Amino acid sequence: MSVTEQRTPSDDGAAPPFRGSGRFRMMDAQRVNLDGFSTENPDLGLVAFDSPHDPEPGVLIRDGVVVEMDGRTVAEFDSIDHFIARHGLDPAVAPEVMAMDDRELGRLLVDGSVPRGEVVRLAAGMTPAKIARVLAGLRPVEIQMAIMKMRVRRTPANQAHVTNRMDDPLLIAADAATAVAFGFRELETTVPVLHDAPAVAMALLIGSQVPAAGALTQCAVEEALELKLGMRGLVSYAETVSLYGTERVFVDGDDTPWSKAFLVSGYASRGIKMRVSSGAGSEVLMGYAEGRSMGYLEARCVALARAIGAQGVQNGGIDGASVAASVPGGVRELLSENLMVMMRNLESCSGNDTLMSESDMRRTARTLPLFLAGSDFVFSGFGSVPRYDNMFGPSNFNADDLDDYLVLQRDWGVDGGLRTVDEQTVLALRRKAAEATRAVFRHLGLADFGDEHLESVVTAEGSKDLAEPDPLAVLHASRVIQESGLTGLDVVRALDECGFPEEAERVLGMLRARVGGDYLQTAAIFDERMNVLSGVTDPNDYSGPGTGYEMSAERRREIDTVRQQRSVVDLVGEQDLHALPYALVETGPAAVGDDPRDVVIGLSPALGVGLHQTLSGLTVYDVLRELAAGLEEEGCRARLVRICSTIDVGFIGLAAARLAGSGIGIGLQAKGTALIHRRDLAPLMNLELFSVAPLVTRDMYRAMGINAGRHAKGGIPDPVRNAYSDEAITARYHTRVVSMVAVERAHCHPDLPPQEVRWNH
């Protein structure tokens, strides 16, 4: 019989409404159900790997020229095929690698003993269909292992998004300084109003150089304007030159592979670091996926990036990450995209810059494999500002996730590019960045920001904490920058003349680097001493366990030090704030009582000596008052005895019971755990136990005193149920418990008999 057939009729004969399963109602309320999930649909391109419309890998070369590739003859090539065949495929290697078994190539990727350079050599001859099929055969952990070996730069790094909804220059500068203080080595901004870009780019440049030298900055706007900002020295890199895997999407954007190649050369010839952007799902979103898999289309993009001369690729889904994540295996495809880039010997700026899920578990799971394996940039835009201020849209991790990320680094012993900074340092840097930016804007006649506005910027979480600014101020500043031809050198001069010589020198250092050109090397960043770390100067040398990047002792200390950590010394200092000197005074060895109303409260060794506050926040003195009051309500008398020989609450309670005239004792640890014991019970038995100390309240302790009194009189107690919660209280309190236990142990004297305690309350 079905559930619905078993419903009991109501008085009027109608069946009660069917409510369904409470468990499923709970499941339906979870945030993962806000995500979109799609069945595979190869015709629409909604397939991660191995679409039936993907071509078979193959290549035919005549006289050093590719005449057939991935199932198409040269007469059938589209513009992407033509460009890859001419510039993105090594004809000397292609016959060798295309003849190799896919699984054998997968093994070469994973095997640490196979040199990275050999895989790069072979990948140069692989067609898009070949590389897509090889990676489709790798398991997630194998992709991770390959990434450890194949990333270009040995030292991982991270990139931040620094934007705000009002394009406020002072807030941009303060947030840029905050991001660099936390360790980000690239900062990307964009604007909700295109014409604000010059002022925002200038503010980002100034703020980025306040904490340390060498952070690269970008203003992601329309390509021509972005290039102009770069030529003026207001930005130092670009990455928003988009590539697509189908010709029709290129045409819709008025672009071709040749126009993109021309733009790449424009950046490089002017000393501006540049990578392209692609990523699974974009062709699906634009309706021209040609029925091909996301993995295959992205393999075309990455081959094209190599062919047009870009030094790197921003991919891993990017704006289409949630599309890729909606299909089976889609998150694995996002990870494989990053590996494609590394195999082509290009810098990998590895996505994670788009919120691909409303589920905290899913978005963390999407990032974690890459975080553990390491990348040139773990994020191509960690949202270092509040979600509402991220004008790219929320990133997979945002400002409210920063503590979590720092703890993840510590948990795994992994360098994710960031570090902990204390609050006072951040406030000082924000103030200096805002003041320097205000001074430059005032000196150059761009805008004048008042003291009240500056103060609000220093302490702001985000733009919602600021008063609404003059809506035309930033537009005016940008117009002056554009029309007057202001450059980075004008910023240097203004900083120096306004009393910021160190920041002036750092901005000048970024301009000098443009002339030298070393940071155009593949995967290049500057460290904080302006040393170039790149595929040339800092190549990844992983070749199996015990090799590759290893954190220095100083860097490990940075990662291990999070602001939430506490030591035993910290605990003792906090405990001392709650001490009541002379409240509990030992008066000598305790005797066995003869009063039938005598109930002994056994105190742990450090209670009221080294420890004064329980895990619930109550002081130990508050707890004793409540226990004594409960006993008094039942006509019993509380006698305090310190049990010096043990810290175990069961043995403390039993020792107390054996000293009590009533035969009933209460055992109390300083952390707040308490129980009622009886002299004839085994040590690990008890009459009532409060084991979840953080959740025990005043009323519960009083009720325990009442129940102890009733036991003493032979009455019937009313047991108090432990206060349980679905919160992870163990995770919150266990480290504190360890410190408290250490203090208890230090006060424990196994050979010392129980001591009578006078309570001066």
Side-chain angles (χ1 to χ4, degrees):
M1 183 178 290
S2 71
V3 172
T4 54
E5 291 173 326
Q6 295 176 347
R7 287 182 279 178
T8 303
S10 60
D11 292 340
D12 60 4
F18 179 61
R19 299 192 63 224
S21 165
R23 185 63 60 82
F24 274 80
R25 286 196 301 276
M26 177 272 292
M27 292 168 63
D28 288 343
Q30 303 309 305
R31 293 188 65 81
V32 69
N33 293 300
L34 297 174
D35 295 348
F37 298 96
S38 174
T39 57
E40 283 191 337
N41 188 332
D43 291 338
L44 295 178
L46 287 168
V47 57
F49 300 103
D50 299 325
S51 168
H53 306 300
D54 286 351
E56 280 293 308
V59 69
L60 180 61
I61 298 173
R62 291 191 186 131
D63 300 325
V65 176
V66 177
V67 296
E68 186 175 324
M69 183 176 69
D70 291 343
R72 288 178 174 174
T73 65
V74 68
E76 298 168 316
F77 281 179
D78 63 14
S79 60
I80 299 174
D81 293 323
H82 275 295
F83 208 97
I84 293 172
R86 294 182 188 179
H87 307 291
L89 199 67
D90 187 340
V93 179
E96 172 191 357
V97 70
M98 294 298 291
M100 294 178 68
D101 180 73
D102 294 341
R103 288 174 294 182
E104 176 59 23
L105 287 169
R107 292 189 189 101
L108 296 181
L109 277 166
V110 173
D111 188 347
S113 66
V114 176
R116 178 184 182 278
E118 173 60 11
V119 178
V120 168
R121 182 187 75 82
L122 292 171
M126 295 171 72
T127 67
K130 182 70 168 180
I131 200 168
R133 197 161 75 176
V134 169
L135 296 191
L138 295 182
R139 295 176 174 87
V141 174
E142 293 166 346
I143 298 174
Q144 279 185 280
M145 294 173 66
I147 285 174
M148 286 186 67
K149 179 171 78 174
M150 295 308 302
R151 73 170 186 260
V152 175
R153 190 176 59 245
R154 191 170 185 263
T155 305
N158 222 322
Q159 181 199 99
H161 283 169
V162 180
T163 69
N164 66 68
R165 63 191 178 91
M166 298 192 301
D167 289 339
D168 187 280
L170 299 197
L171 185 58
I172 288 286
D175 285 340
T178 302
V180 173
F182 276 103
F184 291 100
R185 299 311 295 156
E186 282 192 353
L187 309 182
E188 179 185 18
T189 193
T190 192
V191 290
V193 178
L194 175 62
H195 295 295
D196 289 346
V200 169
M202 183 179 287
L204 185 73
L205 171 64
I206 296 167
S208 69
Q209 300 304 306
V210 169
L216 302 173
T217 61
Q218 172 198 185
C219 186
V221 289
E222 184 272 329
E223 291 170 351
L225 177 56
E226 187 171 5
L227 182 55
K228 289 178 181 177
L229 294 174
M231 292 171 65
R232 291 187 179 188
L234 298 178
V235 298
S236 45
Y237 78 101
E239 68 180 2
T240 51
V241 177
S242 298
L243 302 182
Y244 302 100
T246 62
E247 185 178 65
R248 184 57 186 269
V249 178
F250 259 119
V251 171
D252 280 357
D254 295 326
D255 274 311
T256 69
W258 283 268
S259 66
K260 294 296 187 182
F262 181 79
L263 190 58
V264 168
S265 67
Y267 280 104
S269 65
R270 287 153 179 83
I272 305 168
K273 176 182 174 180
M274 188 269 173
R275 52 180 172 259
V276 295
S277 293
S278 54
S282 58
E283 297 86 4
V284 179
L285 285 170
M286 296 181 189
Y288 292 110
E290 298 179 353
R292 309 301 177 90
S293 71
M294 297 182 198
Y296 168 69
L297 291 180
E298 185 56 21
R300 297 189 87 197
C301 291
V302 174
L304 189 57
R306 176 82 263 180
I308 67 177
Q311 70 88 40
V313 180
Q314 174 189 225
N315 75 347
I318 313 303
D319 293 339
S322 57
V323 177
S326 73
V327 301
V331 175
R332 179 163 62 96
E333 192 281 334
L334 296 177
L335 190 63
S336 73
E337 290 183 26
N338 303 140
L339 179 54
M340 291 179 194
V341 173
M342 299 169 187
M343 291 171 65
R344 297 287 189 186
N345 207 30
L346 299 171
E347 176 184 68
S348 177
C349 198
S350 308
N352 293 299
D353 69 336
T354 298
L355 187 69
M356 52 73 67
S357 174
E358 292 294 338
S359 160
D360 289 344
M361 186 178 294
R362 280 192 84 210
R363 65 188 180 90
T364 302
R366 180 263 187 277
T367 296
L368 190 62
L370 190 74
F371 165 81
L372 295 176
S375 182
D376 298 319
F377 290 97
V378 179
F379 281 75
S380 60
F382 188 119
S384 68
V385 295
R387 289 188 184 194
Y388 67 77
D389 264 337
N390 193 333
M391 295 298 99
F392 293 100
S395 296
N396 210 43
F397 279 27
N398 299 277
D400 56 332
D401 300 305
L402 188 54
D403 274 334
D404 298 79
Y405 189 84
L406 294 168
V407 170
L408 283 176
Q409 289 187 145
R410 186 180 192 265
D411 288 343
W412 288 95
V414 163
D415 190 343
L418 303 188
R419 63 189 172 216
T420 296
V421 192
D422 67 85
E423 183 178 9
Q424 293 307 311
T425 297
V426 168
L427 287 170
L429 291 171
R430 291 179 68 85
R431 178 174 298 281
K432 192 171 189 182
E435 289 176 344
T437 303
R438 178 173 71 168
V440 169
F441 273 59
R442 182 180 290 166
H443 187 80
L444 296 176
L446 305 178
D448 195 359
F449 300 97
D451 291 343
E452 183 180 353
H453 183 68
L454 187 144
E455 291 300 326
S456 66
V457 163
V458 171
T459 58
E461 174 191 317
S463 63
K464 290 182 180 180
D465 295 334
L466 308 182
E468 290 293 331
D470 176 357
L472 300 180
V474 182
L475 278 173
H476 171 75
S478 293
R479 186 178 300 113
V480 173
I481 294 170
Q482 285 277 66
E483 294 176 356
S484 63
L486 289 173
T487 69
L489 281 174
D490 295 301
V491 175
V492 172
R493 186 179 300 109
L495 283 168
D496 189 56
E497 293 177 0
C498 291
F500 297 92
E502 186 174 22
E503 289 70 27
E505 179 58 39
R506 288 173 179 171
V507 174
L508 184 60
M510 299 301 293
L511 298 177
R512 288 195 193 101
R514 291 276 291 276
V515 178
D518 286 348
Y519 87 113
L520 299 185
Q521 297 166 6
T522 300
I525 58 171
F526 293 110
D527 67 15
E528 294 183 355
R529 293 172 295 279
M530 290 299 289
N531 298 310
V532 173
L533 304 180
S534 70
V536 176
T537 64
D538 184 36
N540 183 16
D541 56 355
Y542 180 80
S543 59
T547 66
Y549 175 72
E550 184 66 35
M551 286 184 282
S552 66
E554 179 184 4
R555 178 63 179 139
R556 184 167 292 279
R557 282 192 297 273
E558 274 192 332
I559 283 175
D560 290 348
T561 303
V562 295
R563 65 192 183 94
Q564 300 89 342
Q565 69 183 14
R566 296 291 184 273
S567 67
V568 175
V569 173
D570 295 326
L571 172 81
V572 170
E574 293 167 2
Q575 289 283 330
D576 286 346
L577 298 175
H578 303 279
L580 293 179
Y582 311 113
L584 301 174
V585 179
E586 295 179 15
T587 59
V592 177
D594 54 12
D595 183 347
R597 298 298 175 96
D598 173 46
V599 176
V600 171
I601 301 177
L603 311 181
S604 64
L607 190 150
V609 181
L611 300 174
H612 308 277
Q613 185 184 43
T614 69
L615 294 175
S616 70
L618 296 171
T619 68
V620 295
Y621 314 106
D622 294 329
V623 173
L624 290 174
R625 289 188 190 98
E626 297 301 333
L627 290 172
L631 286 166
E632 186 177 339
E633 283 186 32
E634 293 298 318
C636 292
R637 181 177 68 89
R639 181 159 61 102
L640 305 187
V641 174
R642 187 177 306 284
I643 309 302
C644 307
S645 59
T646 180
I647 70 169
D648 186 288
V649 71
F651 284 94
I652 291 170
L654 181 58
R658 288 174 175 172
L659 291 169
S662 65
I664 298 297
I666 295 175
L668 179 64
Q669 289 177 325
K671 64 186 177 71
T673 305
L675 56 73
I676 303 173
H677 224 305
R678 195 174 68 206
R679 68 160 63 106
D680 61 335
L681 295 177
L684 297 182
M685 295 181 68
N686 60 75
L687 299 174
E688 191 168 340
L689 171 64
F690 290 167
S691 59
V692 189
L695 300 182
V696 184
T697 64
R698 286 179 180 271
D699 290 343
M700 292 171 66
Y701 283 119
R702 181 171 291 241
M704 175 172 273
I706 291 170
N707 284 342
R710 291 178 180 176
H711 280 295
K713 297 187 303 183
I716 299 175
D718 183 11
V720 180
R721 301 296 177 187
N722 268 289
Y724 287 103
S725 165
D726 61 356
E727 296 182 36
I729 59 171
T730 53
R732 188 182 312 169
Y733 291 103
H734 268 177
T735 53
R736 189 174 183 86
V737 168
V738 169
S739 295
M740 295 182 84
V741 167
V743 175
E744 291 273 28
R745 287 283 182 203
H747 286 80
C748 184
H749 301 284
D751 299 327
L752 193 65
Q755 299 292 303
E756 199 82 31
V757 174
R758 184 178 72 248
W759 185 15
N760 299 316
H761 63 93

